[in-house]
Amino acid sequence: MAQVAARVVAHIVPRLPRPIQPLLRPLLRWVLAPLLTVLVASFVIFAALAQAPGDPVYRLLGNHATPAQAAYLRHTLGLDQPMLVRYGHWLVGALHGNFGDSITYRAPVSTLLGSRIETTLFLVLYAGALCLIVGVVLGVMSATIRPLSPVIAATSGIGVAIPGFVAAILLISIFSLALGWFPTGGAGSGFSDRLWHMTLPAAALATSWAAYLTQVTRSALVEQRGKEHVETARMRGLSTTRIFRHHVARNAAPPVLTVSALTVAGLIIGAVTVEAAFGIDGVGSFLVTSIQAKDYNVVEALSVLIVVVFIAATTLIDIAEVLLDPRLRGKASQ
């Protein structure tokens, strides 16, 4: 979808007046393309849900409901309208912050998502911080301290292969049941209590992504360390610290930032299993129950929310890469 949006932008820009093209190209790239991607994604998700097997009407009424009862409820919920009409109503409402009502809970979707988004956001931010700290630090250590490199490489290889729910089981068994250091579930209340409750879920969620970020960071640093300009800087007598900071780390940052953006999406998706393992009432567990209940409005809102977060993260990373690498600044305006 992002590629389609990029092609549309590339088709529009050359048709604009030449003097304003350098000014509008970044705007179209970082504003129009993400918005177009979200729009297309929302339609695809809505169409897929409309064609999904199962009928939420009979799930609410039961299999013994009469056709007349089912038809009345389907009309009441607006499910008897054409798909394009329903999508148009949903889109207009979503632009005004109204994502419709939950079929299961008979309450506005935005109201149901409020506390759950806060819980999942806390978990994802906590896990994201662990990923960045552990992944980058271990990656740098693996690339710069040769005796530790094999150990960190083996450890990160194992970490990548551990799914979130397996990490959750291991952490609960060791740190909750055996040692009693952390609670087995729940989200907690208040910042300190929530931090305590969320430590194991965040660690379970971050395990594989932190290991992957470690490998990417190490590979990027090792690749840059062998570049010709780094050898030239060494021959000029520059200090090791300055070479690493200005010539190695800076040029290795773009791939690390790109993986960090993908990590955000991965953490949100992984939160589904981790929240279920720890009994956390967040967006992930709510998405699973809504899919099972054929609660289309909730599933649509949550799916689009995930797309928006992912697109926003990748756009911010794209901007950061341009700011870090002067060579990309000219391309951004061409």
Side-chain angles (χ1 to χ4, degrees):
M1 295 180 186
Q3 294 178 350
V4 174
R7 291 178 181 177
V8 172
V9 172
H11 181 73
I12 293 176
V13 172
R15 298 176 181 274
L16 298 173
R18 188 173 297 273
I20 66 173
Q21 287 185 16
L23 299 176
L24 290 181
R25 189 181 294 271
L27 180 65
L28 295 175
R29 174 182 175 182
W30 291 324
V31 177
L32 179 61
L35 290 177
L36 184 60
T37 302
V38 173
L39 179 64
V40 174
S42 68
F43 176 77
V44 171
I45 294 170
F46 196 96
L49 291 174
Q51 299 299 321
D55 192 339
V57 171
Y58 282 99
R59 184 173 182 85
L60 291 174
L61 297 176
N63 294 328
H64 299 290
T66 64
Q69 291 173 329
Y72 175 77
L73 182 57
R74 188 173 289 107
H75 177 73
T76 302
L77 298 175
L79 297 177
D80 58 342
Q81 297 178 342
M83 189 271 292
L84 290 177
V85 175
R86 285 188 283 129
Y87 174 73
H89 291 327
W90 180 89
L91 182 61
V92 172
L95 293 176
H96 291 83
N98 179 16
F99 296 96
D101 294 338
S102 167
I103 297 176
T104 304
Y105 296 91
R106 301 296 180 89
V109 174
S110 55
T111 302
L112 296 173
L113 293 181
S115 61
R116 293 178 172 89
I117 288 178
E118 181 183 352
T119 300
T120 300
L121 182 62
F122 189 97
L123 174 60
V124 170
L125 290 177
Y126 195 175
L130 292 178
C131 284
L132 290 176
I133 294 172
V134 175
V136 173
V137 170
L138 290 182
V140 172
M141 292 175 61
S142 179
T144 56
I145 306 176
R146 293 191 177 182
L148 293 179
S149 182
V151 178
I152 296 176
T155 304
S156 62
I158 296 173
V160 170
I162 299 178
F165 69 92
V166 174
I169 294 173
L170 292 175
L171 292 174
I172 291 174
S173 300
I174 297 172
F175 295 101
S176 294
L177 300 180
L179 299 176
W181 292 354
F182 297 96
T184 57
S189 58
F191 181 78
S192 59
D193 186 50
R194 175 163 290 190
L195 196 67
W196 182 46
H197 277 76
M198 290 291 196
T199 296
L200 290 187
L205 186 57
T207 298
S208 61
W209 284 102
Y212 179 54
L213 187 58
T214 298
Q215 294 178 343
V216 172
T217 303
R218 179 189 179 281
S219 299
L221 291 174
V222 170
E223 180 184 357
Q224 291 298 323
R225 196 172 56 190
K227 294 289 186 179
E228 183 178 350
H229 64 88
V230 176
E231 296 295 334
T232 303
R234 288 197 187 99
M235 290 188 293
R236 290 172 54 192
L238 298 180
S239 65
T240 303
T241 303
R242 184 174 181 181
I243 292 174
F244 180 81
R245 185 171 63 249
H246 291 282
H247 297 279
V248 177
R250 187 170 184 176
N251 291 326
V256 176
L257 288 173
T258 301
V259 172
S260 300
L262 297 175
T263 299
V264 173
L267 293 176
I268 295 175
I269 297 172
V272 174
T273 56
V274 171
E275 287 178 354
F278 286 92
I280 298 173
D281 187 18
V283 169
S285 58
F286 191 38
L287 177 60
V288 173
T289 57
S290 299
I291 292 175
Q292 294 172 345
K294 308 295 181 183
D295 202 337
Y296 294 150
N297 286 338
V298 175
V299 176
E300 174 77 10
L302 289 176
S303 301
V304 171
L305 175 63
I306 293 174
V307 172
V308 169
V309 171
F310 178 73
I311 295 299
T314 53
T315 301
L316 291 176
I317 294 301
D318 190 20
I319 295 173
E321 289 178 351
V322 172
L323 295 177
L324 286 173
D325 193 343
R327 296 171 298 180
L328 298 176
R329 296 174 191 173
K331 295 180 181 180
S333 58
Q334 293 177 359

